[in-house]
Amino acid sequence: MSASSCLRSEDQFLCSICLDVFTDPVSTPCGHNFCKNCINEHWNSNDQYLCPMCKEVFYTRPKLHINTFISEMVSQFRQEAQQKASSSSSEQQAAKPGEVPCDVCTGTKLKALKTCLVCLTSYCETHLEPHLTASRLKRHQLMDPVENLEDRMCMKHDKPLELFCKTDQTCVCTLCSVLDHKTHEFVPLKEEYEGKKAELGKTETEIQRMVQKRRLKIQEIKHSVDLSKEAADREKAKSVQVFTALNESVERSLNELIETIEEKQRTTEKQAVDFIKELEQEISELKKRSSEVEKLSHSEDHLHLLQNFPSLKAAPPTKDWTEVSVRPSYEGSVVRAVAQLEETLSKQMKKLFEAELKRVQQYAVDVTLDPDTAYPKLILSKDGKQVNYGDVKKKNLPDNPKRFTRYCNVLGKQSLSSGRFYFEVQVKEKTGWDLGVVRESINRKGHIILSPQYGFWTICLRNRNEYRAHNEPPVRLTLKSQPQKVGVFVDYEEGLVSFYDVDAAALIYSFTGCSFIEKLYPLFSPCNNNGGKSSAPLIICPVNQTA
């Protein structure tokens, strides 16, 4: 068998003192081999001459000779290892930027495959082999290659960081555990690693859940955009249809007005022509009579003049033109046409508001009154649908922070923090009331300022026919009729609060461009009884969608 085939592993050629391949191998009398320099230094530093392997004691310092057989075997091993390293190096790739290089390679640094936490060294495939074959090195802990190995050493004791201090939540070395942290709780790094890894797994699961939730939100937003586009397209089509009809109506009214004026002008012109023709006919008759009279006045025949005088003494019969005139009047034509157009537009507007009211009624909610918020003089029905003002303040009411204590208001139980919201309230036979929505944090105990700045989006009736919107500044409302039932609509995202006269299908008022950041609650105030003139309750009505 050739010598090369006997080279099974590197540990056959390792010095037990330096743990490296033999350099100038020598044999002791007991048959063990060491590097010449290693065994000499070992004996120089000890009082006895003993074998480091078997502990045999030599009473005199043995003479050491180079073991030529081992030396040749080591030389052959080195050559083969060098050839193998050279071959492996040609196959392996040099470490790229960002990759951990081998700490042993000279010249071109190859990519490290593993890092030894005992040696604190990173090895390429070739230089890693002793850790995979040598029995002593196999016990070393290997891990995926890492840089900055000094970060894994205790800066104070220059020992590997092998423990985790649960008290201080930091990595420490074995000396730290008995010196600086001796009363603390410790676990091996691996144990803490497993625990933290499990926590990271939970964190990753939670992150993935959050990611999925946000992906769903993205889909929801995209779907909302699609729905918005569809709604916008429908609204544009409806707008084009409505305004085209209005434009056609205006053009038709204008054409009819112009036609009426032109027809009147044609009638006037024809009448004038007829009058002129009749006048010219009379002028012709008068001229003829004038000629006959002049001729008769010059006659010398007494009998002839007397016989014809009776028929010629008077002018021929003619029409009395004193009151006759041609003065056509166009005044009021435009006004009447505009009035008619306005009536047409009003009918069209009514249709639009009916459609709008029908749309918002789709978002009807079942609102009930919250007794915990009611002013002490307010009387609520058992079903929570009616409220009116009582003359006597209730006693022994719990001191609820939600209750109004100065103004006769009550809120609905239902709140809105997104989407759309609609409800209807009967207000007939009232001389005063307030309706709308408010944010959750409004002042309920002291002085209240009714405006959006302070969280109120409301309208009111005062003195039977004075309607106002509590905006900044307040807006006086002019209504064609007194509402008997008021609809309240809120679009949270749009920042819109609208009020409708349900029976007339007309818009009363809208707050636009609102910024809602809290829950909104319906607000109801029946006001005081006004001497019995306003004792009727406010009634939350079921919503019946308009036909």
Side-chain angles (χ1 to χ4, degrees):
M1 183 179 294
S2 66
S4 62
S5 65
C6 297
L7 300 177
R8 300 301 181 194
S9 65
E10 185 181 4
D11 60 348
Q12 300 178 52
F13 310 104
L14 293 181
C15 171
S16 60
I17 297 176
C18 68
L19 300 179
D20 202 351
V21 178
F22 290 122
T23 301
D24 298 330
V26 294
S27 299
T28 61
C30 59
H32 293 111
N33 301 304
F34 305 96
C35 296
K36 183 177 182 181
N37 188 54
C38 291
I39 190 63
N40 282 328
E41 287 186 0
H42 177 72
W43 286 342
N44 291 338
S45 60
N46 289 278
D47 296 333
Q48 291 181 313
Y49 306 117
L50 56 82
C51 175
M53 291 290 290
C54 66
K55 308 302 181 184
E56 181 179 346
V57 177
F58 308 109
Y59 296 102
T60 59
R61 184 165 182 161
K63 289 185 178 181
L64 300 174
H65 302 280
I66 300 296
N67 187 324
T68 56
F69 176 74
I70 297 295
S71 180
E72 290 177 0
M73 295 291 287
V74 168
S75 176
Q76 186 176 354
F77 172 81
R78 289 183 184 277
Q79 290 177 1
E80 291 183 355
Q82 186 176 2
Q83 292 174 357
K84 185 176 181 181
S86 175
S87 174
S88 177
S89 297
S90 63
E91 295 176 359
Q92 296 180 65
Q93 294 182 347
K96 298 177 181 177
E99 294 179 340
V100 179
C102 175
D103 293 326
V104 182
C105 288
T106 58
T108 301
K109 295 284 188 178
L110 300 182
K111 176 182 176 182
L113 293 185
K114 293 291 180 180
T115 294
C116 177
L117 296 181
V118 178
C119 303
L120 296 178
T121 305
S122 297
Y123 299 102
C124 65
E125 181 179 355
T126 300
H127 294 114
L128 179 64
E129 185 172 351
H131 279 75
L132 302 178
T133 58
S135 58
R136 294 182 183 86
L137 298 180
K138 285 181 180 180
R139 293 192 292 269
H140 290 190
Q141 185 178 354
L142 300 176
M143 64 177 295
D144 289 337
V146 293
E147 292 185 301
N148 303 321
L149 288 172
E150 60 273 12
D151 294 341
R152 297 177 173 273
M153 299 292 289
C154 176
M155 297 181 64
K156 187 173 183 180
H157 303 112
D158 198 28
K159 295 284 185 180
L161 299 172
E162 299 176 347
L163 300 173
F164 184 80
C165 177
K166 296 181 74 68
T167 306
D168 291 342
Q169 292 290 300
T170 185
C171 298
V172 296
C173 70
T174 53
L175 285 179
C176 289
S177 66
V178 296
L179 296 177
D180 303 326
H181 301 253
K182 59 184 178 180
T183 61
H184 294 180
E185 180 184 357
F186 299 94
V187 293
L189 285 182
K190 185 175 182 181
E191 180 179 332
E192 186 66 20
Y193 161 83
E194 295 296 339
K196 290 293 190 289
K197 188 174 182 181
E199 288 184 23
L200 289 176
K202 294 179 181 178
T203 301
E204 175 65 15
T205 301
E206 177 63 17
I207 291 174
Q208 290 301 324
R209 188 191 66 80
M210 294 173 66
V211 168
Q212 183 63 22
K213 188 175 181 180
R214 279 151 181 77
R215 284 175 176 166
L216 291 175
K217 178 58 70 174
I218 290 174
Q219 293 178 3
E220 178 186 330
I221 292 173
K222 288 182 177 179
H223 182 61
S224 297
V225 171
D226 292 338
L227 293 178
S228 175
K229 185 178 184 305
E230 293 175 2
D233 291 341
R234 287 195 302 270
E235 201 66 19
K236 286 191 292 184
K238 185 192 300 181
S239 301
V240 170
Q241 180 182 0
V242 169
F243 278 88
T244 299
L246 292 177
N247 189 46
E248 291 175 352
S249 180
V250 171
E251 289 184 356
R252 184 166 55 253
S253 297
L254 176 60
N255 292 335
E256 290 176 355
L257 175 60
I258 292 174
E259 180 61 28
T260 299
I261 294 173
E262 290 178 348
E263 178 62 28
K264 183 176 285 188
Q265 174 63 15
R266 287 193 294 270
T267 301
T268 300
E269 290 177 355
K270 183 176 183 304
Q271 187 181 42
V273 169
D274 292 341
F275 285 161
I276 291 171
K277 184 176 180 180
E278 189 174 353
L279 285 169
E280 288 177 346
Q281 182 65 32
E282 289 188 356
I283 289 172
S284 177
E285 292 294 332
L286 290 172
K287 284 183 176 181
K288 182 179 178 182
R289 178 62 61 87
S290 174
S291 177
E292 291 176 350
V293 169
E294 183 182 3
K295 183 178 178 181
L296 183 62
S297 65
H298 290 89
S299 175
E300 298 293 334
D301 187 342
H302 301 144
L303 178 61
H304 177 70
L305 188 146
L306 293 173
Q307 287 177 336
N308 289 285
F309 178 78
S311 59
L312 296 176
K313 70 175 182 176
T318 55
K319 184 177 180 178
D320 184 3
W321 294 91
T322 305
E323 302 298 329
V324 175
S325 64
V326 180
R327 290 198 298 263
S329 175
Y330 299 102
E331 295 179 3
S333 299
V334 175
V335 173
R336 288 190 296 274
V338 171
Q340 185 177 0
L341 179 60
E342 183 180 10
E343 182 179 354
T344 302
L345 292 177
S346 295
K347 292 179 180 178
Q348 186 66 31
M349 288 294 292
K350 184 174 177 60
K351 291 181 180 179
L352 289 176
F353 281 127
E354 286 176 350
E356 175 70 10
L357 183 58
K358 184 176 181 180
R359 183 184 68 83
V360 300
Q361 284 176 331
Q362 298 177 62
Y363 303 102
V365 294
D366 184 16
V367 175
T368 53
L369 303 172
D370 185 356
D372 291 338
T373 66
Y375 177 68
K377 285 190 176 182
L378 294 182
I379 302 172
L380 277 59
S381 63
K382 290 183 179 181
D383 63 359
K385 296 293 185 180
Q386 300 185 28
V387 57
N388 59 349
Y389 186 84
D391 293 325
V392 180
K393 183 178 290 189
K394 298 185 185 72
K395 298 180 180 180
N396 301 322
L397 286 174
D399 184 18
N400 196 314
K402 298 193 297 182
R403 189 180 306 283
F404 290 93
T405 55
R406 186 170 178 179
Y407 296 92
C408 55
N409 297 328
V410 60
L411 301 184
K413 290 182 178 180
Q414 291 70 27
S415 65
L416 174 71
S417 57
S418 65
R420 300 174 178 88
F421 191 98
Y422 178 82
F423 60 95
E424 293 179 353
V425 184
Q426 180 179 299
V427 297
K428 68 179 181 180
E429 299 179 5
K430 299 287 293 177
T431 62
W433 48 260
D434 288 77
L435 287 174
V437 294
V438 298
R439 66 185 178 213
E440 187 175 26
S441 63
I442 57 168
N443 178 23
R444 309 185 190 199
K445 303 301 181 183
H447 179 63
I448 289 176
I449 299 176
L450 298 174
S451 75
Q453 180 181 353
Y454 295 94
F456 290 80
W457 292 269
T458 58
I459 64 172
C460 73
L461 167 66
R462 298 288 184 267
N463 303 323
R464 193 178 293 276
N465 58 7
E466 294 180 10
Y467 294 92
R468 291 198 301 270
H470 295 300
N471 210 330
E472 301 170 6
V475 179
R476 183 74 177 267
L477 304 176
T478 302
L479 308 181
K480 291 183 178 180
S481 60
Q482 289 192 332
Q484 303 297 298
K485 188 186 294 183
V486 176
V488 182
F489 172 69
V490 180
D491 189 325
Y492 197 94
E493 282 75 21
E494 187 68 21
L496 173 70
V497 182
S498 295
F499 299 85
Y500 296 89
D501 182 339
V502 177
D503 297 325
L507 178 67
I508 297 175
Y509 186 77
S510 286
F511 293 91
T512 58
C514 309
S515 179
F516 302 133
I517 57 175
E518 297 181 26
K519 289 181 179 179
L520 300 180
Y521 287 86
L523 177 135
F524 309 84
S525 175
C527 296
N528 59 48
N529 288 336
N530 193 17
K533 297 178 181 178
S534 188
S535 59
L538 292 178
I539 303 175
I540 302 173
C541 306
V543 176
N544 296 317
Q545 293 195 18
T546 56

